[in-house]
Amino acid sequence: MIIGENGLLTGGPYIPSPNFDTRPNGVEVELLVIHGISLPPDQFGGDEVARLFTNTLDCTAHPYFEKLRNACVSAHFYMRRNGRVLQFVPCNQRAWHAGVSNWRGRERCNDFSIGIELEGADHLRYADAQYTSLARLAFALRQRYPLVDMVGHSDIAPGRKTDPGDAFDWGRFRTLLSALS
């Protein structure tokens, strides 16, 4: 995997989200935020997350979706259970994934982070292919950006968010990433 100068993953599908804006001038990408998402909750394989990120989710299709009506969210990347990576926002732009957030005293983590959503749920084991693909993507991102930290959504929004949850094996991810270095 390679991240081009335009902030796009080469060779991967790019599905433009309208939910992004420009990063503040002079702000470097220093943080990788890992999320977990499934729509409807605990169900995998549909296109609902992509529809959420592109503002085309049919909020009448499932009772849970009503609470997502008028949501304007995105992530730079979404990783399917089989490890397939979809990109929604170029990395040099600010995706709207973190919300109200703080990391080591810095507010507005969207300003200086890249968000990766894993198809999953806090309490369900993530797939082997996701760990392999996530390590490869994180390695590619480190080649392009000065990433200082890699954290979960729960680390930057404690009490508000719990993802990627206890089911995410940080040790396994870091071991796979180290093997690529």
Side-chain angles (χ1 to χ4, degrees), residues 49-65:
V49 173
R51 290 188 174 283
L52 175 65
F53 291 167
T54 57
N55 298 342
T56 60
L57 181 66
D58 177 2
C59 292
T60 65
H62 188 278
Y64 181 82
F65 297 166

Side-chain angles (χ1 to χ4, degrees), residues 113-140:
S113 69
I114 290 173
I116 301 175
E117 292 274 3
L118 302 177
E119 184 177 31
D122 293 10
H123 59 283
L124 299 173
R125 189 177 169 284
Y126 288 86
D128 294 340
Q130 287 178 298
Y131 286 103
T132 301
S133 190
L134 179 60
R136 290 178 59 223
L137 179 57
F139 181 79

Side-chain angles (χ1 to χ4, degrees), residues 78-91:
Y78 173 54
M79 186 173 298
R80 305 300 303 236
R81 304 285 293 173
N82 65 4
R84 183 170 186 238
V85 178
L86 307 175
Q87 186 166 7
F88 291 89
V89 175
C91 296

Side-chain angles (χ1 to χ4, degrees), residues 143-154:
Q143 300 305 299
R144 173 65 58 195
Y145 303 101
L147 295 179
V148 176
D149 287 311
M150 293 176 286
V151 300
H153 198 185
S154 57

Side-chain angles (χ1 to χ4, degrees), residues 2-10 14 23 76-77 87-93 114 137 141 144-145:
I2 297 172
I3 305 295
E5 287 186 30
N6 60 358
L8 295 177
L9 178 65
T10 58
Y14 171 54
R23 292 184 189 277
H76 293 92
F77 301 98
Q87 186 166 7
F88 291 89
V89 175
C91 296
N92 52 10
Q93 299 292 326
I114 290 173
L137 179 57
L141 289 166
R144 173 65 58 195
Y145 303 101

